[in-house]
Amino acid sequence: DIKAFCELLMDYASTGHFELYDKILEECSPHSKDEESVQVITSKIKASTDTALSFNDHYAELSEKDDMADFVRNLTVLGEKLEERFELEDQLLETFNKPAS
């Protein structure tokens, strides 16, 4: 179950990080004010990718001998970072969907 979760986590993180955010920036570029907002938001979102990568690196390939003592703490940290990311993605969508001035 953890391996499947890590695969989904990496799909989610990489889709935004490597595909969606740059496309959104391209769409906003004619509106410099929006572009600045989008760049700030996406830089914060991209920073959360590091937490997801770290979790994946630690737990994607588990064996029976691996230490799981910190799993709950690491999962909690990941959950908090994902919650922040969701809020930032909502802000990004609001900025993107805002009518041009």
Side-chain angles (χ1 to χ4, degrees), residues 18-91:
F18 296 111
E19 295 176 30
L20 297 178
Y21 305 140
D22 290 336
K23 288 180 184 179
I24 290 172
L25 273 172
E26 287 174 18
E27 291 292 322
C28 290
S29 61
H31 313 290
S32 62
K33 198 174 186 181
D34 289 342
E35 184 178 13
E36 289 174 22
S37 296
V38 169
Q39 285 180 341
V40 168
I41 294 168
T42 56
S43 68
K44 290 178 182 178
I45 291 172
K46 287 179 179 182
S48 71
T49 302
D50 292 341
T51 302
L53 291 172
S54 177
F55 185 90
N56 180 71
D57 290 347
H58 193 88
Y59 294 107
E61 300 296 329
L62 290 173
S63 69
E64 289 182 26
K65 63 182 177 182
D66 287 325
D67 182 15
M68 294 293 287
D70 293 330
F71 178 75
V72 172
R73 183 181 60 79
N74 291 333
L75 186 61
T76 300
V77 168
L78 175 64
E80 291 168 354
K81 291 294 183 183
L82 288 175
E83 183 178 1
E84 290 172 17
R85 184 182 180 121
F86 300 151
E87 290 173 12
L88 289 165
E89 288 174 341
D90 286 345
Q91 290 176 19

